[in-house]
Amino acid sequence: MTLFTRFVLALMLLMSCSGNSLIGAENTASEKFDLLGEVHLGDKGRLRKLRALVTLSGQNSAYMDQSWTFLGKFKFRDVPAGNYELRVEIPRRGEQVSTVVLSRSFADRKNRVRQLVRIEEGIDPDSARKFELVSVKSLSIPPAAIKEYLDGRKSLSRPDYPKALRHFEAAVKIAPNFAAAINHIGVIHYQSREYDKALLSFETALEKEPAFHEALVNLGGVLLSLGQLDRALEINLRAVAVRPEDPLSNAQLGLSYLAADDLAKAELHLSKTRQIDPAHFTHPQLALAEIRLRQNRMLSAIEDLKEFLKYHPDHEQAPKVREQIQRLEHLNSLAQPSDKIASTQNIPCSKE
């Protein structure tokens, strides 16, 4: 494993917990922003008759908040700067998941960031089953446990993580099989760098709900953070098998292959993450740049790093990435013409 690989993994493996990361925040962490969005259904414009559930989950914090659209619009106020997963779900229709970066470069003078979400029209059977399944499961959880769980979610949006943890633990005490609450406990432990406790929480959540994909992908992430690479590869393979189009599952599987020096499979899954969600908080461009450099594809690596800056201009690692680009461009300018041509020929046409 090269030194640059170690840098990439150190930067990225700690970001692998679903919806949350410990490092790699945007550089405006003390600021707060308003997120204003619209939901469009296919080519029919803004959603008006149907309502969508919008969930905003922190990727560099345990922050979480939810809102229903009104006439196709949604708003989240005073959200701390950082990377967020924005999930928009229309019951029995489908969902759209994307990354939103709240930082100065994407905000107006009033610290407002605007986001347009487009959901293709048509029934999504998987989404329909999911909503039905959630409804059935909720009937088996006592109301007192649900209240503690919802209070925990509210505490996450403030954010007050110690209070949220107390509510989730109270929910599990009332309902020991409450997998969603157990998963939240694991996320908060992960944020506190209590990786062993997080690992136990995600494993317990999966024991209660073997088909719980969020807990599965969280388990894969914490195993990467703990350096348990063989088991991480196994779990992340399972996560991708369950949801082949999930960007986080593909990113973590790509990182698992990168750690194992299987560059071809690493590139395949990291490229898929970038294709699905180029602003994804795992920053697939950094790992892809490492792969290109190890394959002597300098021009491709430069483009990967530039794309990272396009989506994360205020990231705390942005100055180092800019320095890396300058060094690579200088080295490329010194290369023989034949070397430059060879490097260019190695760039896949579908990606560059």
Side-chain angles (χ1 to χ4, degrees), residues 95-246:
E95 67 179 20
Q96 177 70 37
V97 182
S98 58
T99 294
V100 175
V101 179
L102 300 184
S103 69
R104 295 190 194 103
S105 293
F106 299 106
D108 61 19
R109 294 180 180 179
K110 295 183 178 181
N111 272 16
R112 296 175 302 189
V113 177
R114 301 182 184 276
Q115 186 76 10
L116 173 63
V117 179
R118 188 182 304 277
I119 297 179
E120 294 304 319
E121 190 173 14
I123 299 296
D124 182 345
D126 290 335
S127 176
R129 285 195 295 269
K130 181 180 70 172
F131 275 92
E132 291 166 358
L133 187 62
V134 169
S135 299
V136 172
K137 285 180 180 177
S138 66
L139 296 176
S140 65
I141 303 296
I146 294 176
K147 181 181 184 304
E148 292 289 352
Y149 176 78
L150 294 177
D151 287 343
R153 293 272 292 261
K154 290 179 182 178
S155 296
L156 290 179
S157 67
R158 284 173 184 154
D160 187 339
Y161 303 138
K163 188 174 181 180
L165 180 60
R166 292 195 295 271
H167 282 300
F168 292 133
E169 289 176 338
V172 174
K173 186 175 182 179
I174 298 169
N177 293 325
F178 202 163
I182 298 170
N183 181 69
H184 274 296
I185 291 171
V187 170
I188 294 174
H189 283 315
Y190 188 92
Q191 295 298 313
S192 302
R193 300 179 184 268
E194 298 174 322
Y195 301 133
D196 290 333
K197 290 183 179 180
L199 178 67
L200 178 60
S201 295
F202 299 140
E203 289 176 330
T204 302
L206 283 171
E207 289 175 4
K208 307 300 182 183
E209 298 277 0
F212 192 4
H213 182 266
E214 186 174 350
L216 182 65
V217 75
N218 283 343
L219 177 60
V222 76
L223 287 169
L224 281 169
S225 297
L226 287 169
Q228 298 183 26
L229 301 180
D230 290 339
R231 191 176 174 210
L233 177 59
E234 174 192 349
I235 295 298
N236 289 321
L237 277 168
R238 284 174 53 191
V240 170
V242 174
R243 292 191 185 175
E245 300 302 315
D246 178 55

Side-chain angles (χ1 to χ4, degrees), residues 302 306 324-334:
I302 292 171
K306 287 182 177 180
Q324 178 76 344
I325 291 172
Q326 290 179 353
R327 287 195 295 268
L328 292 175
E329 288 180 334
H330 177 67
L331 289 174
N332 187 61
S333 68
L334 299 177

